[in-house]
Every structure is written in C-alpha cells, then in structure tokens.
Amino acid sequence: MLWLFSDPFKKVADNQYGVFDPAKKQWTGLVGDVLRGKADLAVAGMIRNYDREEVVDFTASYMDYGVGILIRKPQRKTNVFGFLEPLTVQVWICICIATFAIGVVMFALARISPYGVRGVEESLQFNFHNSMWFALASLMQQGTDITPRSISSRMLGTFWWFFTLIVIATYTANLAAFLTVTRMESPIESLSDLAHQTKISYGTVKGSSLEQFFEEQGNTESPYDKLWNYMSTMDPSPMVNDVQDGYKRVKRGDYAFMWDYPVLQYQKKRNCDLMTVGKPFNSKNYAFAVRKGALYQEQITLSILSLQESGELEKIRQKWFEAESLCTDDESSDDSKASGLEMENVAGVFYILIIGSFLALFSACIELIWFKFFRPSSSASDHESSRTSSKQSEAHRNSFLDKKFNLNSTNDSNNIRLHNNKSESQLV
C-alpha cells in the first residue's frame, strides 16, 4: 500500500513508487505527486537512488534491505522405497555383485582346499547353494548352520564379515538421517539458478526502481543480463502491475517474484504456500521522500535517528518482520527438527516382505509339484532300494534262523549220542 502524507492520508493514484516516464517526460507515482506538490511527504517502503535524489529530498533511512525471491513451496513428495535412498543405485548394484562373487569364491575354495570337505557331512559342505546362503546370511548379519573349515575359507569369511559390518553401519547411520529429517527440495536455490532455467517464469513490479536496476545491469556479464533479457523480451510480459498481483501469480505456481526481502519475509509468514529462496541482493535502504528544500525534512530525520538510538525502530522491525510464523511447517524449522516416521516412509519395507512371502509360497508349491510329478525315476529307485533292503534283511534273518537251527540240531545229536553212550555203559 502506497500512501501520501497529507490531510488526510490518501493512496497514490497509479499505485507506483515513482520512475521517470520518457514518453510523458514526467515522474510517476509517489515521487511525481511529491514533486508536483500534491503531497508533502511520501510514506512507503521506497528506496533512495540517484535519479530520485535529483528531484526530491529524502530523510534518513529507517531500514536497510535487499531484494529477495518469492516462490511457491514445492509439493512434498514421499517415496515408499525411501529406505533405499541412503545408498545410490550404483552402490546397491555393487553390493549385489560382491555378494554373488563371494559365494562363488567360497564355493571354489571349498573345492580347491583339501580341508574344505574332509570329515564334513554332505549337507554341511560348501556346495554352491550353501556358499550363496552363507554370503547372503552374512550380509544380513545372520548366522548359518555351516561354517568354513579350511584356513583359506575362514580368511575370506573374515574379510567378508568386516565388509558387511562397515556397509550395514554406514547404511544404518544414513537411514536415520534420510527418514527422520524432513526435506523439501526447491527447484531454485539462488539468483543464478533462476537465471539459468526456463521452467519458472520470473519478474518484478512494472515501473519500479527494481525494474530500472535490472535494466541498468542488463549489459553486465553477471546473471542480471540473462534476467533482464528474459523479462524484457518474453511475451506475455512476466512483469506485474503491483505487489499484490505478484503474490497472486506466485500462488498460481511456476512464477518467481522478486521484491524487497523484508516484505517477502513478512508475506511468507502469513501465506504458508510461499517461501523465499537465495540470499538477498542489491542492498538498499528505505526512506521517506519530501519536496526539495522542505523545512520539516530535518525534523523527521532527527526523529528517525532518535528512534534508532532508543531501539524503537528495532522493536518495530522485530514485531512485524521477525514475528513468529503462522505456518507450522515453515522451512526455517524443517532443517533442524526431526519428524516421526510415517507409514508412507517405510511402506516399501512391508511391500518387500509381502512379495518375499508370496515368492516363498510359490517356491514351496513348485518344489511340491516337482517332487510329486517330475521325479519318477528317483521314486522307483527309492522303492527298489527299499525292496532290496527288505530282501537283504529277510535273507539275513533266514540265515540267522538256519544257523540257529543247525546249532540246535547239532546239540540234539550230541545229546542223543551222549545218551546212547550212557545206555551202553549201564548195559556193560
């Protein structure tokens, strides 16, 4: 809001701060009204520059400022597989390759070393299946029923355990930061980012001193030349008629409004959809404008200096420009506060668990079908082996009975022979 000091206060007609219009050869806005005697004092957030100082006088500055960039807050995007973000895709791929390679090398060492399988049951030997299971279980920090026997295998296993220890510790530390700290990435972070992109349009108030500043800096090699070239050649024009139009356009999205940084700071604390980015640039100061030679200029200047020394101006600035934000999710507090984990942050873990359960069930069905319908030779062999074993057991039992029968027959014969001998002796 731009107001003129008069009796009573009134708003300037064209809602401009004041620039020189070459076509009409006159000043517009506040400066024009003060220059033409329509107002005694211009009260606004108006900056002092060389052109204005030539036609009007200014009081002492009551506030320093820079130019800021106001954009709409980007939408927060959640990733159900956010637990994978602590490590890059390349690292995950390398870990998978390393796990497979360790399993293969462990299998080879078990076959090369003479102590790898000696005296070990076949189910506990480091075959290919068990070697892969050992590598995967070690990566997951879990134990297995099989352990390396040879020195070479144990040496490899020790280094693999050390590797997994470092990887798991690093992943755990980064996971806590990725999942508990709220992050909101902005498409632009500085004035240079704004100048080197075309997705987001940008501009300022038409006819303002800031527009004049960009025009004057248009021939430099800094980002200002790209900014001015864009703002002056785009059709439709990215410039806005006043500050309120700039706020409205920012809220619609894909637009960056450049204006006085303190004013933008105030607006973002009242409009939770807005945020400022980058550091302030083009440092200036605010002052009141009066007619040339006005006697009350010195009195107003002394009053401003007195308020500065007493701290009253600082209290006013803190009240309006550093007041607590109405937004609970203001970005200034997001970087320092950790938020609780929500389901959307860890849902991917549950998805993987569900997928793993279904894969395990599917694998069990395949194993059952294979065992029942695709292993007839193995079943016949088992049956034949069982019949052979039964025959051998029966033969062994018959042999045992025959031996026992022969032994009993021999004993009976001996008893009969002994009895006959006794009978003969008695007869004699």
Side-chain angles (χ1 to χ4, degrees):
M1 301 288 289
L2 308 179
W3 299 92
L4 297 175
F5 181 78
S6 184
D7 188 18
F9 283 91
K10 64 178 181 179
K11 186 178 179 180
V12 66
D14 58 4
N15 205 32
Q16 298 286 328
Y17 286 91
V19 294
F20 183 74
D21 187 353
K24 298 181 180 180
K25 295 183 179 181
Q26 64 179 8
W27 282 83
T28 63
L30 288 172
V31 176
D33 285 353
V34 171
L35 183 61
R36 289 186 289 271
K38 292 183 178 181
D40 300 313
L41 177 70
V43 180
M46 188 166 57
I47 68 169
R48 302 171 61 178
N49 58 27
Y50 178 79
D51 293 334
R52 290 174 179 173
E53 286 277 8
E54 284 189 325
V55 294
V56 295
D57 286 339
F58 284 92
T59 63
S61 62
Y62 60 88
M63 185 176 182
D64 298 330
Y65 88 107
V67 177
I69 304 173
L70 185 72
I71 64 172
R72 183 178 178 179
K73 284 184 179 180
Q75 297 293 327
R76 297 181 184 273
K77 296 182 179 179
T78 57
N79 183 8
V80 295
F81 294 100
F83 62 91
L84 298 176
E85 292 182 357
L87 302 179
T88 62
V89 177
Q90 292 83 355
V91 174
W92 283 115
I93 293 175
C94 290
I95 291 176
C96 294
I97 294 175
T99 304
F100 179 79
I102 289 296
V104 173
V105 175
M106 188 68 71
F107 170 72
L109 292 178
R111 292 296 178 268
I112 295 174
S113 175
Y115 302 99
V117 295
R118 178 181 295 180
V120 182
E121 296 181 11
E122 184 177 357
S123 61
L124 299 179
Q125 293 180 3
F126 268 82
N127 53 31
F128 186 78
H129 175 269
N130 288 339
S131 299
M132 288 298 173
W133 176 246
F134 173 81
L136 182 60
S138 299
L139 179 64
M140 299 299 175
Q141 302 287 288
Q142 302 298 319
T144 60
D145 294 334
I146 56 175
T147 56
R149 297 302 180 95
S150 64
I151 296 178
S152 58
S153 298
R154 290 182 177 182
M155 184 179 299
L156 178 63
T158 300
F159 280 95
W160 176 241
W161 288 336
F162 177 77
F163 171 83
T164 58
L165 175 66
I166 299 301
V167 170
I168 295 299
T170 304
Y171 170 79
T172 304
N174 289 338
L175 182 65
F178 269 82
L179 295 185
T180 59
V181 177
T182 304
R183 298 175 180 268
M184 184 173 59
E185 296 182 357
S186 173
I188 55 176
E189 297 290 345
S190 64
L191 189 66
S192 179
D193 293 342
L194 186 64
H196 291 86
Q197 58 83 44
T198 56
K199 180 180 179 181
I200 297 179
S201 179
Y202 50 87
T204 185
V205 175
K206 186 186 304 181
S208 64
S209 61
L210 185 56
E211 181 187 24
Q212 185 178 2
F213 165 77
F214 281 117
E215 183 178 2
E216 293 173 352
Q217 298 294 324
N219 296 325
T220 64
E221 296 181 358
S222 61
Y224 298 116
D225 59 340
K226 293 185 177 181
L227 293 170
W228 175 246
N229 181 64
Y230 175 85
M231 290 187 289
S232 60
T233 58
M234 280 296 295
D235 187 22
S237 174
M239 299 299 186
V240 294
N241 295 324
D242 54 38
V243 177
Q244 296 300 325
D245 286 344
Y247 299 152
K248 293 177 182 179
R249 191 162 178 179
V250 170
K251 290 180 180 180
R252 290 196 294 266
D254 293 334
Y255 183 78
F257 179 57
M258 290 177 286
W259 198 243
D260 301 353
Y261 187 73
V263 179
L264 300 184
Q265 285 287 96
Y266 176 81
Q267 285 297 325
K268 78 162 188 177
K269 292 181 179 180
R270 297 297 182 269
N271 297 275
C272 299
D273 293 334
L274 307 180
M275 64 181 293
T276 56
V277 294
K279 296 180 179 180
F281 61 95
N282 187 31
S283 297
K284 299 286 184 177
N285 48 62
Y286 291 139
F288 300 140
V290 298
R291 289 195 302 269
K292 281 285 188 179
L295 299 178
Y296 47 85
Q297 176 197 9
E298 184 177 356
Q299 296 177 356
I300 297 176
T301 296
L302 292 176
S303 298
I304 292 174
L305 294 176
S306 176
L307 291 174
Q308 287 178 340
E309 292 178 359
S310 64
E312 289 298 323
L313 282 182
E314 179 64 19
K315 291 179 181 179
I316 296 173
R317 187 188 66 82
Q318 291 182 356
K319 175 182 178 181
W320 293 103
F321 295 104
E322 295 186 7
E324 184 177 355
S325 175
L326 299 179
C327 309
T328 58
D329 60 340
D330 186 64
E331 72 270 14
S332 61
S333 61
D334 285 346
D335 296 334
S336 58
K337 293 184 179 180
S339 59
L341 293 181
E342 298 180 359
M343 188 61 192
E344 58 189 9
N345 298 119
V346 294
V349 179
F350 292 92
Y351 293 161
I352 290 181
L353 182 62
I354 294 173
I355 292 173
S357 301
F358 278 105
L359 287 177
L361 181 61
F362 179 75
S363 177
C365 294
I366 295 298
E367 290 176 349
L368 180 62
I369 295 173
W370 176 266
F371 184 82
K372 284 186 172 295
F373 300 102
F374 296 95
R375 295 185 60 190
S377 58
S378 299
S379 300
S381 176
D382 294 342
H383 182 66
E384 184 66 25
S385 176
S386 177
R387 290 181 58 187
T388 302
S389 178
S390 299
K391 289 182 179 180
Q392 289 178 353
S393 299
E394 184 178 359
H396 179 73
R397 184 169 60 255
N398 293 335
S399 175
F400 176 76
L401 293 175
D402 290 341
K403 289 181 179 179
K404 185 175 181 180
F405 178 76
N406 292 336
L407 181 60
N408 291 335
S409 299
T410 303
N411 292 336
D412 291 342
S413 298
N414 291 335
N415 290 334
I416 293 173
R417 191 179 294 111
L418 179 61
H419 179 74
N420 290 338
N421 290 336
K422 287 183 179 181
S423 300
E424 290 178 357
S425 299
Q426 290 176 358
L427 292 173
V428 174

